[in-house]
Amino acid sequence: LEEFLLARQLAGGSILAACKAFATEHRPEVKRVKLAAGIDAFIATKQRAGKKGERTYRAKLKPLLTVEDPLDKRPIIGDVFADTVTTKQLSAYLETFGNGVTRNDHRKRAYSLFSWLKRQGYLRHGEELAIAGTERTKEKPTDIGILTPEVFAKLLEWIRKEHPEYLAAVVLAGFCGVRSDEIHGKKSDGGVARNTMVRQKWSDIHLDERQVMRVTIAKENTPANRNVPLAGEGMDAALAWLQLIPEGDRVGYVCTAGAMENVRWLAIEEGFDLPENCFRHSYITYAIAVTENKAKIANRAGNSVQEIDRRYRVPMLESTGVEWFAIRPKPKPPA
């Protein structure tokens, strides 16, 4: 009714004539597509360009079709024609995400979608995108969970004894800062990609005089072909622990798919308190404490210094960093 009254105010007694004029003047510019089909086409285009459209966009765009109004339980937007989606609808949709980081991430993906739809002729040229009228929200500082050297030492010895097949993965995560995704891929990689292509290879880990590892497949949009030292600068722990693994086992991939997910589940069942992303957070925190060089550690971790300070690092004394990288395997008792 509000829309009708405003239309009547603007067009006087000629609402139908105004609608016909609008249709004649504007609609021929627009190819109509339903939002679900537009999302599928957008993702398919990204996939063909080798940009992992399914993994990057699907989960963040599907809610445009499904998120419901808290009161009437109907989709706020739904599978409507893309050119009918309004700023008011998009704002209401974004307000359903309480976390600022999540909200801004969904807004970013929606912006990419609607920009692409406009380039394809599904939205009118010369008009501002409806999503552009929505607001980014302020992101609250994220909790950065780390492990103490004492807890990590106990965890490593427990993994060594009870689940040695996961030892290399835990060492790379805690002493080299390698992402779980880079160690064994994401769940969303699926099928062949998850089982073979996206995993760290032993052939890229050099325990000889080079004492360095190359990240086999770096996370998308991060520095590729990055190297991480396994020793030096007082950080020799990774080398010491990886040398425990029999040479005959250092072939193929360092772990099975989903190794760090299994480690987390098993360790929590055992009573270990493992905050989200704690191995990588801990590595970055303690490595910066030891080296006092954020830029160097950011490069090894495949992040910017700004992201390191915002999401990954807890200020720590150098002595505690030294303690972290001084963790060594306990000698096995004689048989």
Side-chain angles (χ1 to χ4, degrees):
L1 287 173
E2 289 175 355
E3 187 175 9
F4 172 77
L5 289 172
L6 179 58
R8 186 171 182 177
Q9 179 183 343
L10 292 171
S14 306
I15 295 177
L16 288 178
C19 288
K20 289 176 182 177
F22 178 86
T24 300
E25 187 173 340
H26 292 276
R27 288 298 180 195
E29 299 177 12
V30 178
K31 298 181 292 184
R32 308 207 79 187
V33 65
K34 287 289 190 76
L35 197 54
I39 290 171
D40 288 342
F42 169 68
I43 291 174
T45 299
K46 293 291 184 182
Q47 288 288 114
R48 288 194 295 271
K51 295 183 178 180
K52 299 182 180 179
E54 284 288 343
R55 189 172 83 175
T56 304
Y57 292 98
R58 179 69 69 184
K60 300 295 172 62
L61 294 178
K62 185 178 179 181
L64 286 166
L65 306 170
T66 59
V67 167
E68 297 178 342
D69 185 288
L71 298 178
D72 65 19
K73 302 302 180 183
R74 291 184 298 180
I76 294 174
I77 299 173
D79 190 17
V80 298
F81 285 111
D83 59 303
T84 67
V85 179
T86 66
T87 298
K88 184 176 180 180
Q89 287 176 306
L90 288 164
S91 294
Y93 159 72
L94 292 172
E95 284 170 8
T96 63
F97 300 103
N99 181 278
V101 173
T102 302
R103 172 188 166 127
N104 289 340
D105 197 21
H106 278 77
R107 182 181 183 273
K108 176 182 176 182
R109 305 307 176 190
Y111 210 114
S112 296
L113 168 67
F114 286 106
S115 296
W116 181 84
L117 289 171
K118 186 173 184 178
R119 292 195 299 273
Q120 305 310 307
Y122 294 119
L123 302 177
R124 281 185 290 279
H125 290 280
E127 291 187 7
E128 184 179 58
L129 293 173
I131 190 70
T134 63
E135 295 289 337
R136 278 182 54 85
T137 191
K138 185 175 181 180
E139 299 179 5
K140 295 180 181 179
T142 55
D143 293 330
I144 302 174
I146 64 171
L147 301 177
T148 64
E150 294 80 9
V151 169
F152 192 42
K154 290 177 182 177
L155 177 67
L156 283 166
E157 289 294 346
W158 177 73
I159 290 288
R160 177 187 179 187
K161 179 182 177 183
E162 302 294 338
H163 302 283
E165 70 275 19
Y166 298 140
L167 182 60
V170 175
V171 170
L172 295 183
F175 288 133
C176 299
V178 184
R179 298 175 177 89
S180 294
D181 296 355
E182 295 169 333
I183 294 173
H184 55 61
K186 284 187 175 183
K187 284 182 179 178
S188 57
D189 287 331
V192 174
R194 180 161 174 75
N195 291 328
T196 59
M197 293 172 61
V198 189
R199 271 196 278 162
Q200 180 66 39
K201 294 179 179 179
W202 273 112
S203 58
D204 289 323
I205 299 175
H206 305 287
L207 305 184
D208 53 18
E209 66 278 1
R210 285 173 284 181
Q211 299 180 344
V212 69
M213 71 162 287
R214 182 180 73 85
V215 177
T216 302
I217 300 180
K219 182 182 176 183
E220 189 177 8
N221 298 324
T222 66
N225 300 318
R226 76 178 190 275
N227 291 329
V228 182
L230 302 174
E233 299 177 286
M235 298 187 291
D236 301 341
L239 186 65
W241 283 92
L242 290 174
Q243 285 173 335
L244 290 177
I245 298 167
E247 189 171 348
D249 292 341
R250 297 180 213 153
V251 293
Y253 299 97
V254 299
C255 63
T256 56
M260 293 305 295
E261 296 154 17
N262 294 338
V263 165
R264 184 174 178 77
W265 179 78
L266 290 166
I268 290 173
E269 284 283 306
E270 183 66 16
F272 287 95
D273 181 15
L274 301 184
E276 281 290 329
N277 215 14
C278 60
F279 299 109
R280 183 169 164 81
H281 289 169
S282 298
Y283 164 76
I284 291 171
T285 290
Y286 295 123
I288 290 175
V290 169
T291 64
E292 297 184 345
N293 192 327
K294 287 184 191 177
K296 178 185 289 186
I297 301 307
N299 183 59
R300 292 176 184 176
N303 271 109
S304 68
V305 172
Q306 291 76 15
E307 281 293 290
I308 289 285
D309 279 333
R310 191 158 69 106
R311 298 181 188 271
Y312 293 97
R313 182 182 76 99
V314 177
M316 192 64 60
L317 293 174
E318 179 184 357
S319 57
T320 314
V322 169
E323 188 179 349
W324 178 269
F325 289 102
I327 298 172
R328 293 292 185 276
K330 291 182 180 179
K332 279 194 172 183

